[in-house]
Amino acid sequence: MAQTVIDWPIHTLDEMPYRSWEAELTLGYVARGDKTVLKHRTHKGPLAVQRSLYPEGGVCHTHLLHPPGGVVGGDSLDVHVDLAVGSKALITTPGATRFYRSDGRIGQLTQTLTVADSARLEWLPLENIAFPNARLRTRTAISLTASAQFIGWDVWTLGQPATETTFENGEIDGLTTVHVDERLILCERLRVNPEQMRFSATGLRGHSVCGTLIVHGDAEAIVERLKLWWSEQQEQKLTRADMTNLTGIELGITEVDGLVIVRALALKTDVLFNVMALCWQQVRLHWTGEIPDIPRIWRT
């Protein structure tokens, strides 16, 4: 009896076919009485949120979850957040977002944040980690009204500083735009690639961690508060007792057409993240008269 022999292809681990993840998440917040509720929520793929938390009264705290734990070439994450009139939400993540080595394909992260009149969004994710040879494209579009309050940041760790592994042969193509009453106020680019890394004066100046914080809402007063606060920190060379020594960080604070922009470079992720968190506390103190507690999820 004749036998049929099928010549199945044999792949090495690096050649094994990979299924890309396509994930979408839409969140809609509304003010209801004396608190904000997450009224609308839809998701597709491995993006989700935990139940709403209220550790400080009416502000709705939300934790974004990405169960796979990382993004590889070909993956795409798409997040839409909409705050209705008068609502207040703080959105963060329980862990860093990791972008792993690419096989040539590009990982994509798209974030669309919309804040209506008298609403307040605090967009405070933990850091992004771009592993060596990662290729990624990020787009963040922030749409505000004149009376909206917004604070948000983007913190990047390039390579693996703990093991002194540099970000080589990878590429980051990042773009953040801010519109206020449909007028473009800010167009912020982050371009990291081997060619750009050769020019330290226009690049990261040898630092492996960078971050940008954006604030809208009484910018003139806030920029003066932050500059005074930062001057005091530099004189002391310490933040609060439970924070990290500030040695090795470069920071600039500017005001552009009603926006406060804080840009920072550092050698360690925790140093830069802690400084961003302290800036957030200063902004909240100005807005509400109270210094907020650090979200508990950051300490777990």
Side-chain angles (χ1 to χ4, degrees), residues 20-298:
S20 299
W21 287 107
E22 294 185 2
E24 299 177 6
L25 178 66
T26 300
L27 305 176
Y29 296 85
V30 299
R32 182 174 293 171
D34 60 353
K35 73 175 185 178
T36 293
V37 297
L38 178 56
K39 184 177 181 180
H40 307 289
R41 175 175 57 187
T42 61
H43 76 97
K44 169 188 173 184
L47 268 180
V49 295
Q50 293 179 327
R51 65 183 180 86
S52 298
L53 302 173
Y54 295 90
E56 51 175 338
V59 180
C60 184
H61 285 224
T62 301
H63 298 162
L64 298 186
L65 304 177
H66 182 228
V71 179
V72 300
D75 288 354
S76 66
L77 305 181
D78 194 348
V79 179
H80 294 258
V81 177
D82 184 88
L83 268 69
V85 174
S87 57
K88 294 178 174 60
L90 185 155
I91 301 176
T92 187
T93 57
T97 300
R98 293 169 170 82
F99 294 86
Y100 293 112
R101 183 185 66 179
S102 171
D103 60 2
R105 293 177 293 177
I106 297 174
Q108 301 196 58
L109 172 63
T110 303
Q111 301 168 143
T112 305
L113 314 175
T114 304
V115 189
D117 290 337
S118 302
R120 183 176 78 220
L121 173 59
E122 296 165 276
W123 179 257
L124 311 176
L126 293 180
E127 71 274 10
N128 301 307
I129 302 175
F131 281 72
N133 303 316
R135 298 187 64 201
L136 57 121
R137 178 181 184 271
T138 71
R139 294 294 183 266
T140 300
I142 303 165
S143 298
L144 312 171
T145 66
S147 64
Q149 293 178 334
F150 173 84
I151 181 168
W153 61 46
D154 206 16
V155 176
W156 284 93
T157 299
L158 305 180
Q160 296 173 276
T163 59
E164 298 184 355
T165 306
T166 59
F167 185 72
E168 295 179 348
N169 301 319
E171 183 175 0
I172 300 175
D173 175 9
L175 173 65
T176 298
T177 59
V178 180
H179 287 78
V180 179
D181 286 341
E182 300 184 352
R183 173 173 170 254
L184 179 62
I185 302 298
L186 180 70
C187 185
E188 183 93 351
R189 295 303 303 263
L190 174 67
R191 298 297 298 270
V192 181
N193 53 54
E195 179 66 18
Q196 179 269 342
M197 294 287 277
R198 291 175 52 230
F199 303 99
S200 62
T202 58
L204 302 179
R205 304 178 187 177
H207 297 82
S208 56
V209 185
C210 62
T212 302
L213 180 146
I214 299 171
V215 183
H216 178 264
D218 202 9
E220 290 186 6
I222 287 174
V223 77
E224 293 305 318
R225 172 186 284 273
L226 289 179
K227 286 181 177 180
L228 177 60
W229 167 80
W230 181 243
S231 177
E232 293 172 348
Q233 304 310 305
Q234 287 182 300
E235 290 177 3
Q236 299 172 12
K237 286 297 181 184
L238 292 170
T239 59
R240 294 163 56 188
D242 59 338
M243 292 297 181
T244 307
N245 192 290
L246 292 179
T247 302
I249 186 168
E250 297 185 26
L251 184 139
I253 303 170
T254 57
E255 191 259 328
V256 180
D257 292 338
L259 294 179
V260 178
I261 317 294
V262 180
R263 299 181 179 90
L265 298 172
L267 298 175
K268 295 183 178 181
T269 304
D270 59 344
V271 172
L272 192 147
F273 190 87
N274 286 338
V275 169
M276 292 293 186
L278 289 168
C279 287
W280 163 65
Q281 288 183 318
Q282 289 296 313
V283 172
R284 262 287 205 102
L285 176 61
H286 178 77
W287 282 342
T288 68
E290 298 179 347
I291 295 179
D293 291 331
I294 295 295
R296 181 177 296 180
I297 194 70
W298 294 354

